């Protein structure tokens, strides 16, 4: 039996450390973990929801990007994917769901209706002309409906945003008022 | 029973109360006054077994010409008989007797026609909006309808 070789010289010691120690910033580490664990909320309002479901299913598999667990409650969600036409009747409910999500929270407006009112922009008396009129939107994904690839791209934009955040920048809290007067 | 027998019997029973009729159209149709409607509806269901109200729709004929409510009634057995009944009411006072006790489906259909065009179905047990929000104002499918500029403090119109 041979003795393990002692790290004799400082150079050997440094070489060994290179394989065992990772230097990073806390911000980057936390950003990396958070961005790979974005939990969306389970709700769909119209046809875009079908594409959102396809994004979650095996062909596109949103789980690959750490965003799989669609939560059935706003209390456990980080991301609100507003998938589909928001009617004036639905708007107060959407806003309430947003208000019930814990900070930090993100909103992805999916589809033409949610971005701007879409085909209902002129004669749709019953449609909210863009969900950004009631909640602050982080990423807009246009399309009618957007394909799953587009929704994934939107998720990546959210992830970029999450990864860049610094933990000391918590002025997000309270700085994003919801805009609807009940 | 075929179409011509149906019309013959209807003419015998209702006579001049049938204002217009079209026997040969894609769907045979009659036009009546609102006051005739409960009796005609009862007769259609019980005497002619037209037991399925498949559609209730409404038309705004433009200012001054009133609103039309159109009922499509049919039977689904081998006879395949159907008829559409048109009822014209004035714009300002669009009152039609309800038929929800004759065809159960009329309940929600009438609520929708009330919501979007403002028909008032007399005798309906719960005539409230079914599609628009409860506090919505106006009847959106009327030709003179203007959508509100704001709803609950949010701008509703783009321009």
């Amino acid at each position: 039996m041979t003795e393990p070789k002692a790290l004799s010289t400082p150079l050997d010691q440094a070489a060994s450390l290179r394989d065992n120690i990772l230097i990073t910033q806390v911000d980057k580490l936390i950003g990396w973990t958070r961005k790979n664990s974005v939990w969306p909320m389970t709700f769909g309002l119209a046809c875009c929801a079908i594409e959102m479901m396809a994004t979650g299913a095996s062909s596109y598999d949103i789980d690959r990007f750490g965003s799989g667990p669609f939560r059935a409650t706003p209390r456990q969600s980080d991301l609100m994917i507003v998938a589909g036409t928001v009617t004036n009747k639905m708007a107060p409910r959407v806003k309430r769901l947003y208000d019930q999500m814990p900070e930090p929270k993100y909103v992805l407006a999916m589809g033409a209706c949610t971005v701007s009112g879409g085909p209902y922009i002129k004669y749709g008396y019953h449609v909210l002309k863009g969900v950004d009129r009631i909640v602050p939107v982080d990423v807009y994904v246009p399309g009618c409906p957007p394909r799953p690839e587009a929704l994934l791209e939107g998720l990546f934009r959210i992830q970029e945003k999450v990864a860049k955040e610094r933990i000391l920048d918590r002025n997000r809290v309270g700085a994003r008022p919801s805009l609807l007067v009940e | 029973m075929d179409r011509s027998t149906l019309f013959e019997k209807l003419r015998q029973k209702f006579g001049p109360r049938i204002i217009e009729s079209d026997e040969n159209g894609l769907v045979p149709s009659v036009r009546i006054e609102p006051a005739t409607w409960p009796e005609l509806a009862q007769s259609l269901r019980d005497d002619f077994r037209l037991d399925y109200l498949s559609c209730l729709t409404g038309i705004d004929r433009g200012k001054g010409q009133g609103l039309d409510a159109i009922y499509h009634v049919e039977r689904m057995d081998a006879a395949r008989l159907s008829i559409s009944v048109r009822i014209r009411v004035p714009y300002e006072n669009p009152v039609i007797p309800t038929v929800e006790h004759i065809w159960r489906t009329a309940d929600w259909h009438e609520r929708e026609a009330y919501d979007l065009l403002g028909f008032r179905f007399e005798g309906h047990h719960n005539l409230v909006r079914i599609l628009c929000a409860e506090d919505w104002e106006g009847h959106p499918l009327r030709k003179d309808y203007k959508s509100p500029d704001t709803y609950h403090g949010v701008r509703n119109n783009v321009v």
Side-chain angles (χ1 to χ4, degrees):
Chain A
M1 200 173 166
T2 54
E3 291 281 316
K5 194 183 170 193
L7 297 171
S8 49
T9 65
L11 206 64
D12 287 344
Q13 287 168 7
S16 144
L17 286 178
R18 192 180 58 197
D19 296 336
N20 289 300
I21 292 179
L22 180 71
I23 296 173
T24 181
Q25 290 168 321
V26 175
D27 273 335
K28 280 188 179 166
L29 179 68
I30 291 178
W32 176 73
T33 54
R34 282 180 61 226
K35 99 176 168 66
N36 288 303
S37 173
V38 178
W39 290 9
M41 182 157 48
T42 313
F43 83 107
L45 301 177
C47 28
C48 279
I50 303 295
E51 296 297 303
M52 185 178 70
M53 289 176 232
T55 314
S58 48
S59 301
Y60 295 94
D61 196 10
I62 200 171
D63 287 80
R64 291 180 295 166
F65 309 105
S67 191
F70 279 86
R71 305 310 287 180
T73 163
R75 315 257 183 224
Q76 299 171 357
S77 310
D78 308 302
L79 171 65
M80 181 162 84
I81 302 176
V82 187
T85 317
V86 185
T87 59
N88 280 327
K89 196 176 182 180
M90 194 66 190
R93 280 82 167 172
V94 172
K95 184 224 162 203
R96 172 165 296 182
L97 284 172
Y98 175 80
D99 287 344
Q100 286 174 338
M101 288 166 67
E103 291 274 0
K105 51 191 169 185
Y106 305 88
V107 178
L108 191 153
M110 179 183 182
C113 296
T114 317
V115 171
S116 68
Y120 306 100
I121 193 159
K122 191 163 180 192
Y123 298 110
Y125 56 90
H126 61 303
V127 173
L128 187 70
K129 308 302 183 309
V131 75
D132 52 6
R133 294 191 179 193
I134 54 166
V135 294
V137 174
D138 293 284
V139 171
Y140 297 85
V141 179
C144 189
R147 285 193 53 86
E149 294 93 330
L151 180 59
L152 287 175
E153 184 63 31
L155 173 71
F156 300 155
R157 295 281 164 266
I158 294 271
Q159 289 181 331
E160 273 176 23
K161 193 165 181 169
V162 171
K164 276 187 215 153
E165 268 177 13
R166 304 188 58 220
I167 51 168
L168 293 177
D169 287 349
R170 278 300 159 92
N171 55 4
R172 282 171 57 89
V173 180
R176 316 170 89 215
S178 54
L179 311 169
L180 185 70
V181 182
E182 285 265 24
Chain B
M1 186 189 297
D2 62 357
R3 203 182 268 202
S4 52
T5 326
L6 170 71
F7 270 76
E8 206 174 294
K9 289 191 174 176
L10 282 180
R11 283 201 196 93
Q12 274 172 18
K13 188 164 182 181
F14 292 93
R17 286 193 286 168
I18 293 176
I19 302 166
E20 280 177 43
S21 63
D22 174 17
E23 209 174 312
N24 303 313
L26 190 64
V27 177
S29 64
V30 294
R31 182 157 82 80
I32 54 163
E33 288 295 334
T36 319
W37 181 222
E39 196 188 331
L40 177 64
Q42 197 77 51
S43 172
L44 288 177
R45 195 194 65 177
D46 297 343
D47 304 342
F48 304 101
R49 298 241 314 274
L50 293 156
D51 52 6
Y52 175 45
L53 174 68
S54 65
C55 179
L56 193 175
T57 186
I59 296 174
D60 182 352
R61 292 167 53 79
K63 194 80 179 173
Q65 298 190 69
L67 303 166
D68 276 6
I70 298 149
Y71 297 74
H72 287 255
V73 197
E74 61 186 79
R75 59 192 281 181
M76 298 182 77
D77 58 8
R80 296 297 295 172
L81 205 57
S82 70
I83 189 170
S84 79
V85 180
R86 181 181 286 250
I87 302 174
R88 191 157 298 164
V89 286
Y91 215 77
E92 290 72 27
N93 190 29
V95 179
I96 297 174
T98 182
V99 287
E100 59 157 344
H101 54 284
I102 296 170
W103 295 288
R104 190 68 180 81
T105 35
D107 179 358
W108 283 14
H109 278 299
E110 288 180 353
R111 281 177 63 187
E112 185 186 0
Y114 158 73
D115 190 357
L116 299 179
L117 278 160
F119 290 102
R120 281 200 297 286
F121 294 96
E122 218 161 35
H124 192 287
H125 79 287
N126 181 31
L127 196 63
V128 295
R129 290 186 183 278
I130 192 170
L131 297 172
C132 294
E134 300 85 38
D135 58 353
W136 197 259
E137 282 174 16
H139 302 287
L141 293 193
R142 285 201 176 185
K143 290 205 190 294
D144 61 351
Y145 178 77
K146 295 269 184 299
S147 58
D149 285 335
T150 62
Y151 178 69
H152 283 221
V154 177
R155 277 186 310 121
N156 192 48
N157 287 332
V158 170
V159 184

